[in-house]
Amino acid sequence: MPVAVYVLGLSVFCIGTTEFMISGLLPELSRDLSVSVPAVGWLISGYALGVVIGGPALTVATLRVNRKASLVGLLLLFVLGQTMGALAPGYGVLMAGRVIAALAQGAFFGIGSVVAVELAGPERRGRALAIMFAGLTVANVLGVPAGTFLSQHAGWRASFWAVDALAVLALLGVLFLVPRRPNGPYAGVRAELSAFRNPRVWVALSTSMLTQAAIFCCFSYLSKLFTDVGGFSESAVPVLLTQFGVGCFAGSVVGGRFADRRPLLNLYVGIGAMALVLALLTVTAHSRAATVVAVLAFGLAAFSINPALQAQVMREAGSAPTLAATTNTSAFNLGNTIGPWVGGSVIGAGLGYTAPVWSGALLAVAGLGTALVSGLLHRRAVAMGDAPGTPKAPLPDPATTPAPTAARAPAARHQEAGTP
C-alpha cells in the first residue's frame, strides 16, 4: 500500500481526535470558561453541524482545484481552526474555531477517499479506505484518552496544541508524500450533482446515517451502562472503552478486506451482527463477563462496515464520486447527532441505561433494511446494465441488423423464383 495512504490516515486521526475529544474535556472546559456542561456539549453539536453543511459546500468550491492542493488547503483550514481553539479567550471564539476546523473534515474525507482509491487502485479500494479511516478508530483508542490525560494534567489547551502539532506533521506529509495527479477533465458541478439523481446513492447514504446513529446511540452512554447496570467501577471504564477501540480497529482491518470482495455481504453480516450484539447486551448487561465480550464484539461489528459504507456510496456515484463521498461523511455526522439524541431521549423518559442499547439495536435493524434494499436495487441495475461499471448491451443498428427470419422468408422465395 502506498505510504501516502497512511499519511491520509494520520490526517484523519488528527481530525477524528478533535471531533471526539471534547467529551473527555467537559469538566475542565466548563470550569475554565465558566459555562455549563450542556453548553460545552454544544461544542460537539456545533462541530457536527459544521461537517454536515461545510463538507459538501467546500467540495463543490474545490472541484476545479487539484486534489492534492485541496487536501493541503483543507489541512491548513483545520490547523487554523484548531489554533483558534487553543488560543480562545472565551467560549465564542472556541465555538468559532471548532466550526472552522469542522468545515475541513467533510471535504477532506471525501477528497481523501478518492485520492486513496486512486493511489491503491480499484481492486484494493476497501483496504485503502480501511487504512485511511482507521485513523478514526485510533483516534478513539488513543487520541481521545490521550487528550483527556493531557487536559487533566496540563490543561485543555495542551490537548488542542498536541493535535495541532500532529496536524502540521500530517500537512507536511501530504505536501511531500502525496503525489500530484491530474483530476481529469472538469465535468462541472452539474456532473457531481447528477449522482444524486440515482436513488441508490440516497439509499446508501441512509444506510450510513442509520448505522452511525445505532453506534452512537449506544456508545455515547456506555460508561453509565458499565457503572450503573454492570456494576463496574469508574476506573474500569477507560479499560472497557479501550477494549471497544481494539474491537473497532480489528473490525476496520477485517472489513477493509471483505469490502473489496463482497461489499454488500460485508454490510449484511456486519450490520446484522451489530444488531444481534446490542440486543444480547440489553439482556446480559448485568453480567460483567458477558459485557466484556459484548463490548469487544460491538466494536468489531460496528467498524467492520465503515469501509464498505464509503465504498458503496462511491461505487453507486459512478464517475462523480467526490461530492457523494463528502456527503457520506455528512451522513455519518448526521447519524452521530441523531444517535445520542435518541439515546438521551429514552433515558430522559425514565427507561434506564439499557434503553440506548436496545434503541441502537432497532436503528441497526433499520440500517440493515436499507442495506438489503440497496442490494436489491443494485442487482436490478446490474441486470438492466444500468449499474456504474456495468457494460450495457449495444442497441441494434437497423442498417446492419438482418430482419427476423419470418419476415425474410417471402422475399427469399420470390428471389428463388426469379421475381423482384
Side-chain angles (χ1 to χ4, degrees):
M1 191 66 64
V3 68
V5 176
Y6 293 94
V7 170
L8 295 174
L10 173 61
S11 305
V12 169
F13 167 78
C14 297
I15 295 172
T17 299
T18 287
E19 179 178 11
F20 299 125
M21 75 177 182
I22 290 295
S23 59
L25 313 183
L26 289 176
E28 291 80 9
L29 284 168
S30 175
R31 185 167 52 250
D32 191 51
L33 300 176
S34 300
V35 295
S36 66
V37 168
V40 176
W42 295 338
L43 293 171
I44 301 173
S45 301
Y47 190 98
L49 189 61
V51 174
V52 171
I53 296 174
L58 277 178
T59 299
V60 169
T62 57
L63 283 176
R64 287 182 180 269
V65 181
N66 180 269
R67 291 194 180 106
K68 175 177 178 176
S70 296
L71 293 176
V72 170
L74 290 167
L75 281 176
L76 284 171
L77 184 65
F78 176 78
V79 169
L80 171 63
Q82 192 71 6
T83 303
M84 284 180 60
L87 296 173
Y91 180 82
V93 176
L94 178 56
M95 175 65 85
R98 291 277 296 170
V99 171
I100 289 173
L103 293 176
Q105 176 172 324
F108 188 92
F109 282 15
I111 297 171
S113 296
V114 175
V115 171
V117 170
E118 286 180 347
L119 292 173
E123 71 282 355
R124 295 191 294 176
R125 176 199 302 261
R127 273 174 283 179
L129 293 174
I131 290 171
M132 178 176 164
F133 285 96
L136 283 178
T137 306
V138 179
N140 280 300
V141 177
L142 297 178
V144 174
T148 303
F149 179 83
L150 273 176
S151 177
Q152 292 172 346
H153 293 84
W156 62 268
R157 295 180 193 274
S159 302
F160 274 72
W161 284 122
V163 175
D164 216 4
L166 282 175
V168 170
L169 181 62
L171 172 61
L172 293 174
V174 170
L175 195 59
F176 292 108
L177 296 175
V178 174
R180 183 182 179 89
R181 303 176 65 169
N183 286 10
Y186 174 67
V189 176
R190 185 173 297 179
E192 288 286 337
L193 291 174
S194 67
F196 296 98
R197 291 200 295 267
N198 179 357
R200 299 191 303 276
V201 171
W202 288 105
V203 176
L205 291 172
S206 299
T207 304
S208 295
M209 181 192 70
L210 287 168
T211 53
Q212 293 305 299
I215 293 169
F216 282 89
C217 181
C218 176
F219 176 76
S220 301
Y221 303 98
L222 274 182
S223 59
K224 297 298 288 183
L225 181 77
F226 295 151
T227 57
D228 291 34
V229 179
F232 289 95
S233 65
E234 290 188 359
S235 61
V237 171
V239 177
L240 290 167
L241 292 179
T242 300
Q243 183 173 332
F244 172 80
V246 170
C248 293
F249 184 79
S252 295
V253 174
V254 173
R257 293 190 175 274
F258 278 100
D260 285 327
R261 300 171 186 171
R262 301 289 298 275
L264 285 170
L265 182 61
N266 181 188
L267 288 179
Y268 302 155
V269 174
I271 300 172
M274 180 169 65
L276 180 61
V277 168
L278 291 179
L280 290 174
L281 184 56
T282 61
V283 179
T284 62
H286 295 279
S287 167
R288 293 188 182 184
T291 298
V292 169
V293 175
V295 166
L296 182 65
F298 176 34
L300 180 64
F303 276 69
S304 69
I305 61 176
N306 280 356
L309 289 170
Q310 189 78 341
Q312 181 194 24
V313 171
M314 294 174 69
R315 180 193 66 200
E316 297 297 357
S319 60
T322 308
L323 184 58
T326 300
T327 306
N328 195 43
T329 302
S330 297
F332 275 27
N333 277 269
L334 190 58
N336 295 353
T337 303
I338 293 172
W341 175 78
V342 171
S345 297
V346 292
I347 291 172
L351 299 178
Y353 288 112
T354 58
V357 184
W358 59 253
S359 298
L362 292 176
L363 286 167
V365 169
L368 179 59
T370 58
L372 290 169
V373 171
S374 183
L376 178 64
L377 293 175
H378 184 74
R379 285 193 296 272
R380 184 178 298 173
V382 169
M384 297 175 63
D386 191 38
T390 303
K392 297 184 179 182
L395 294 175
D397 185 350
T400 59
T401 304
T405 303
R408 294 172 58 219
R413 285 195 298 268
H414 283 303
Q415 289 175 355
E416 290 170 0
T419 56

